[in-house]
Amino acid sequence: MPDGGPPARDGGQAELQELRARVAVLEARRTDPPKHPAKSFLAAVLIVLGCLLAPLGVVAAWAADVVGDTDRYVETVAPLASDPAVQDAAADRVTDALMTHIDLSTLLSGAAPEERPRLEKALGGLGDSLEDAVRGFVHEKAREVTGSDAFATVWTEANRTVHASVDKALTGSGGGAVRVEGDAVTLDLAPVVEQVKQRLVDGGMGFAARIPEVHTDFTLVRSDDIGKVKSGLRLLQILGDRLPVLAVLLVAGGVLLARRRRRALVAGALAVAVTTGLLGIGLRVFRAFYLDALPAGVSPEAAGAVYDTLTGLLHTMVRAAVALGLVVALAAWLTGPGRRAALARGLWTSGIGAARATADRSGLRTGPVGPFVHRYRAWITGALVAAALAGYVLWPHPTGWVVLGLALALLLALALVEFLAAEAPADAPPPEPAAPPA
């Protein structure tokens, strides 16, 4: 062997190390874009504004949907007619209104002779005091009305008829059967009073037919800040679905301007989830303060039922936004260059590769599908992601479970693409001729 062999080998190793160092420097320069303080500051401002507008966008979408859509509003408040707390509260209001028009001193004397035995029998079974007996009898008839299908029909049709008044009551001026009085949004129960009067007549109180038309209010919402709520809700209703879109565009613009876009996307998505989640927590906390501040004449159970019903869709939107933010943040992190993300992707790829190898050994082949999927895998992946986003946008009132289901369906579709994306077979040497039979 000629002299100088080992030094030449050492020189080659040194040159290889130098080339690797240069490549590392070039890669670092490529992955670490130049710093632009003003651009980074603007990106941070856009992301922060988008995150702050995200919960307001959810409230705006809810206001435009529930208050602005008659069918959605009726669908939202219809279950209240079957709520026992609401039925009891309505019966109490009707009883109080009717008792102010009943003269107890002339009650029995004014009754017709043929009605007196039935009336005395009815009142005698309800208590010792005449006033208590009459009140109990009236309340019993009122509770029968509020617990019947007729009350549900009256409730639904009244809310459908006066939806325009609800819109005005919650967003500006009053009027109609639903109106703003001071610090409360009230509903007139006059149709229910008329039905109770008819039941009193049928029960032996013929004089109830002479009671004039009675209007009594059922409180839907009561708050000391109803004026502020009206102004804010009116503004959010005008913005409607445009405010959530604006929040998304602000966050997207901040991500595009950021130096490290993937990290900015993860941070922005998590921030949207956190701020929207704080809105949900705030709704729960405000419910407790709202019920504690109710006056003595308002049923806390009925007020709580109304509050929960009106904010039910809002809670659903909050959970969907939180789930979407978490899914986007997780997806951005898993596709990043981090060590743990790379480990997760390696486990994913190796698991699917093992399944594909098992299928190959079993004689299952993808045929021409495998090379086709491998060639257009990027386009297929983009189409699947776009389809998942379109499903979320077009889904009517998506919930958190809908977001989770779409994410799992997308994950399953991507796994199938990875399984089918087999590389095109290279040109293999011709097979050796078979040996002649012995």
Side-chain angles (χ1 to χ4, degrees), residues 70-88:
T70 301
D71 293 334
R72 187 65 188 180
Y73 171 78
V74 173
E75 181 183 352
T76 300
V77 300
L80 287 172
S82 59
D83 189 281
V86 174
Q87 294 175 352
D88 291 337

Side-chain angles (χ1 to χ4, degrees), residues 170-248:
L170 293 180
T171 58
S173 60
V178 175
R179 56 188 179 274
V180 175
E181 294 183 349
D183 60 353
V185 180
T186 59
L187 174 66
D188 190 2
L189 295 179
V192 180
V193 175
E194 292 299 321
Q195 294 191 22
V196 175
K197 286 166 55 177
Q198 184 59 44
R199 297 223 177 189
L200 292 177
V201 172
D202 296 340
M205 288 187 175
F207 69 92
R210 297 191 296 272
I211 297 177
E213 184 178 2
V214 178
H215 294 274
T216 184
D217 297 329
F218 180 82
T219 301
L220 294 176
V221 180
R222 180 181 293 273
S223 174
D224 294 336
D225 298 327
I226 191 67
K228 299 178 182 179
V229 172
K230 284 191 300 181
S231 302
L233 193 59
R234 177 59 178 169
L235 177 61
L236 292 177
Q237 187 190 19
I238 293 175
L239 294 175
D241 295 333
R242 291 182 288 272
L243 191 56
V245 174
L246 177 60
V248 172

Side-chain angles (χ1 to χ4, degrees), residues 259-353:
R259 292 177 56 245
R260 301 180 182 275
R261 294 178 179 176
R262 194 183 308 276
R263 182 178 298 179
L265 179 57
V266 173
L270 289 178
V272 168
V274 170
T275 54
T276 311
L278 290 176
L279 171 63
I281 297 175
L283 291 174
R284 297 293 184 185
V285 174
F286 178 76
R287 183 184 188 276
F289 286 101
Y290 168 71
L291 296 180
D292 290 340
L294 290 175
V298 179
S299 170
E301 293 79 9
V306 173
Y307 181 89
D308 294 339
T309 300
L310 291 178
T311 60
L313 179 61
L314 183 56
H315 281 287
T316 300
M317 292 179 173
V318 166
R319 288 190 289 267
V322 171
L324 181 62
L326 294 177
V327 168
V328 171
L330 181 61
W333 177 77
L334 286 175
T335 56
R339 183 171 59 86
R340 292 184 177 86
L343 176 61
R345 292 196 305 271
L347 294 175
W348 164 275
T349 305
S350 61
I352 296 178

Side-chain angles (χ1 to χ4, degrees), residues 70-71 73-81 148-166 176-178 187-189 191-192 195:
T70 301
D71 293 334
Y73 171 78
V74 173
E75 181 183 352
T76 300
V77 300
L80 287 172
S148 64
D149 295 337
F151 177 70
T153 302
V154 170
W155 179 274
T156 302
E157 294 303 322
N159 278 282
R160 180 178 296 278
T161 302
V162 302
H163 175 259
S165 299
V166 176
V178 175
L187 174 66
D188 190 2
L189 295 179
V192 180
Q195 294 191 22

